[in-house]
Amino acid sequence: GRSVRDHLFHTESSHATLQLRFVSVGTAGLEQAVRKLRSQFALEDMRQVREIVTAGGGGHKFAAMFREVLRVQLVPFKELQAVVDGLLFLSQFGPEDELYCQDDACYAWPETLFPFVLVNMGSGVSVLRVDGPQHFTRIGGTSVGGATFLGLSRALTGVGDFRELMRLAARGDASAIDKSVGDIYGAAGCTDLGMPHDLTAASFAKLSGADGELPAPASAP
């Protein structure tokens, strides 16, 4: 989305108090946000250039702007290496009994970590085989990723905010537009195949032969 979100993280110990502030903004509004940040805060010693390590295309694309406005030198770091290093850092220093949680169930880190497949989902998707801290290979990927979802959603509904889209999706009914295995084979056929009747066979397939008006998207509450 284009909106700016400001997140403040606060932590204390017996020795020090630390506050970290993160400002998140969509790529399209990044330069405007950076210039506004510069105008609102008295940044000390702007003559000194500071270095910040960055991953992703922005480290290259916005390097000149950051140096001009904030006197910050963006130091590019290979994105996929950063993803692998970050995951391995969590495996070593994160919670020992928690890899991730889903539906209130937590999954522990495996005793043998390597090799494993890592899926990095951003604007597009990259799939990596990781054999060790410095040994990984990109084995595949797809151009259909997060940016595809946001682009299609905006074209279909006029909504471009991810959180709003999640609220709308929770109220939607995929069976109105997606063709399931049950739609193709019927109940008896699904039983013979040993497949659930509601398994998606073809996304958006029902729209290809829809008669009359298309299903209206759910409206925001």
Side-chain angles (χ1 to χ4, degrees):
R2 295 175 179 269
S3 59
V4 178
R5 297 185 176 89
D6 194 350
H7 308 280
L8 179 63
F9 294 85
H10 181 89
T11 182
E12 294 184 4
S13 70
S14 58
H15 303 289
T17 298
L18 176 66
Q19 286 188 344
L20 297 176
R21 171 153 276 157
F22 294 87
V23 178
S24 61
V25 62
T27 303
L30 181 59
E31 182 170 354
Q32 180 181 358
V34 168
R35 294 189 181 278
K36 184 176 182 180
L37 180 70
R38 175 66 183 91
S39 66
Q40 290 186 345
F41 294 91
L43 303 179
E44 300 177 357
D45 192 15
M46 289 295 293
R47 293 172 298 177
Q48 179 182 354
V49 177
R50 296 172 172 81
E51 292 186 345
I52 296 180
V53 178
T54 58
H60 299 273
K61 184 176 181 178
F62 298 108
M65 185 268 291
F66 268 83
R67 186 178 181 91
E68 173 197 347
V69 179
L70 296 180
R71 300 290 289 168
V72 167
Q73 180 66 47
L74 301 183
V75 180
F77 190 84
K78 292 182 178 179
E79 182 175 3
L80 297 182
Q81 182 70 62
V83 173
V84 172
D85 288 349
L87 183 64
L88 297 183
F89 179 87
L90 289 177
S91 71
Q92 184 173 358
F93 298 104
E96 295 182 358
D97 60 346
E98 183 178 313
L99 173 58
Y100 64 91
C101 291
Q102 183 177 9
D103 299 330
D104 297 326
C106 294
Y107 300 84
W109 292 91
E111 294 184 6
T112 302
L113 188 59
F114 304 106
F116 62 86
V117 172
L118 175 61
V119 180
N120 182 41
M121 300 180 67
S123 297
V125 178
S126 288
V127 181
L128 312 177
R129 175 191 165 102
V130 183
D131 293 293
Q134 301 299 324
H135 302 282
F136 65 89
T137 304
R138 185 179 186 276
I139 58 176
T142 173
S143 60
V144 178
T148 311
F149 168 73
L150 291 173
L152 279 174
S153 298
R154 187 175 184 186
L156 293 170
T157 69
V159 177
D161 181 77
F162 178 78
R163 290 173 175 80
E164 181 66 17
L165 289 168
M166 290 295 97
R167 287 193 289 268
L168 292 174
R171 301 174 58 199
D173 180 8
S175 66
I177 61 172
D178 292 344
K179 184 171 289 187
S180 69
V181 174
D183 292 326
I184 300 173
Y185 285 91
C190 289
T191 301
D192 290 341
L193 291 171
M195 301 177 69
H197 69 89
D198 58 351
L199 181 67
T200 301
S203 299
F204 296 96
K206 289 184 179 179
L207 297 183
S208 64
D211 296 324
E213 295 184 359
L214 297 178
S219 57

